[in-house]
Amino acid sequence: MIDSTVKLHNGVEMPRLGLGVFQSREGEEVINAVRFALQHGYRSIDTASIYQNEVGTGKGILESGIPREDIFLTSKVWNNQQGYKNTKGAFEQSLNRLQTDYLDLYLIHWPKGEQSVETWQALEELYDKGKIKAIGLSNFLIHHIEELLPHTKVKPMVNQVEFHPELVQPELITYCKEHGIQQEAWSPLMQGRVIDVPLLKELAGKYGKTNAQIALRWALQKGVVVIPKSVHEERIVSNADVFDFEITGGDMVKIDALDQGKRIGP
């Protein structure tokens, strides 16, 4: 079901599917996308300060009519906002733009070495005060996580990374599972390029689904949370229509074999 969740290691329930708003334009575009998603059953919205659309995201939540406590809201601290003091200021700015007094998940957007240790300390403090329900990482590879873990009092709950059929990073999935860190996929649809993958087209025909739905279902079956981005109402609805079928083990292996370690993002 669209409202199905995974339990993070601190007991917080995180929706398995949400709406990502990267590159959704501030103003009516992002407001409408967020409102459409929530009104069609989504309960997770993922933004970031660098996306420069937190104001519209907050307005979309208000206009949806869905109670804030029913929504899992994520934002991220950007690179030039990192450090202990800067992170606290950036967090408050995000809250103000989003018109909320807490976040469900706050992430370090990119690893910044020692600076991220200070950033994490700020996140831990905000978490202890109840201002954030869960804290985590974004774009951290295994060596980045290993550099951070010795300095943590609270272990990261989520790691959001680029993940799709052509970039699987199985070692990272295994590592995160072993450490109780939930993996989340950004760009699970390869910024729309899933329509060009012949195997996905073939499987879409077999299951009576779209290429995008096959890619999202595959990720979900691998235990990865997905946040596909769209600003079109019909695609937002379609992207969530992935809970009424299951890909066979054999077909999962075929999709796994598409992995080329190929990045779309940086």
Side-chain angles (χ1 to χ4, degrees):
M1 297 293 291
I2 190 174
D3 59 355
S4 65
T5 60
V6 294
K7 187 175 282 190
L8 304 181
H9 73 67
N10 68 337
V12 166
E13 299 280 348
M14 178 181 187
R16 297 171 67 203
L17 180 140
L19 178 77
V21 298
F22 173 61
Q23 294 183 333
S24 297
R25 288 192 298 273
E26 179 63 288
E28 289 303 310
E29 184 172 271
V30 74
I31 291 169
N32 289 336
V34 169
R35 180 169 53 82
F36 291 152
L38 293 172
Q39 289 176 343
H40 285 291
Y42 283 68
R43 289 296 177 266
S44 173
I45 305 292
D46 178 277
T47 186
S49 62
I50 195 63
Y51 299 170
Q52 298 186 329
N53 59 16
E54 287 179 313
V55 171
T57 297
K59 286 181 180 175
I61 289 170
L62 290 173
E63 289 185 12
S64 74
I66 304 300
R68 170 67 183 92
E69 60 269 21
D70 293 345
I71 298 166
F72 190 95
L73 180 58
T74 301
S75 194
K76 312 173 191 79
V77 57
W78 185 241
N79 301 342
N80 64 6
Q81 301 168 318
Q82 287 202 46
Y84 179 77
K85 188 176 178 182
N86 286 347
T87 296
K88 288 195 159 184
F91 176 75
E92 290 300 329
Q93 289 170 1
S94 285
L95 289 189
N96 290 337
R97 288 190 290 262
L98 289 161
Q99 297 184 64
T100 187
D101 56 4
Y102 73 97
L103 287 179
D104 296 274
L105 178 62
Y106 198 45
L107 307 176
I108 301 178
H109 209 145
W110 287 90
K112 292 280 286 180
E114 288 184 16
Q115 206 173 18
S116 289
V117 173
E118 286 184 35
T119 302
W120 189 256
Q121 288 168 350
L123 263 60
E124 287 182 331
E125 202 169 292
L126 292 164
Y127 173 73
D128 286 342
K129 289 179 178 177
K131 301 282 281 184
I132 314 170
K133 292 191 175 182
I135 52 178
L137 314 169
S138 180
N139 301 304
F140 276 59
L141 302 178
I142 292 172
H143 69 278
H144 298 127
I145 300 172
E146 288 185 331
E147 286 170 8
L148 180 69
L149 282 180
H151 306 283
T152 64
K153 294 177 186 172
V154 179
K155 192 166 60 174
M157 291 136 202
V158 173
N159 187 27
Q160 184 186 118
V161 295
E162 182 178 351
F163 175 88
H164 48 70
E166 292 184 355
L167 182 67
V168 180
Q169 303 184 90
E171 299 87 359
L172 182 59
I173 293 180
T174 300
Y175 180 90
C176 285
K177 279 183 181 173
E178 288 173 350
H179 287 79
I181 302 170
Q182 174 63 48
Q183 186 157 322
E184 182 178 21
W186 63 258
S187 203
L189 301 180
M190 300 162 56
Q191 295 186 352
R193 297 179 208 178
V194 288
I195 62 171
D196 300 321
V197 180
L199 175 64
L200 297 181
K201 186 175 182 180
E202 176 192 323
L203 293 175
K206 174 180 175 179
Y207 290 94
K209 291 289 181 178
T210 65
N211 293 31
Q213 288 165 340
I214 295 295
L216 293 172
R217 181 69 206 178
W218 164 80
L220 289 168
Q221 286 184 214
K222 290 184 79 67
V224 177
V225 168
V226 292
I227 44 168
K229 177 256 178 179
S230 181
V231 296
H232 304 288
E233 186 171 11
E234 67 278 5
R235 285 190 200 150
I236 289 170
V237 173
S238 177
N239 287 341
D241 187 19
V242 291
F243 294 98
D244 61 349
F245 77 108
E246 188 162 326
I247 300 171
T248 66
D251 288 339
M252 289 290 290
V253 170
K254 288 179 185 177
I255 300 172
D256 288 347
L258 293 172
D259 184 17
Q260 304 170 37
K262 188 175 177 182
R263 294 184 181 276
I264 289 168

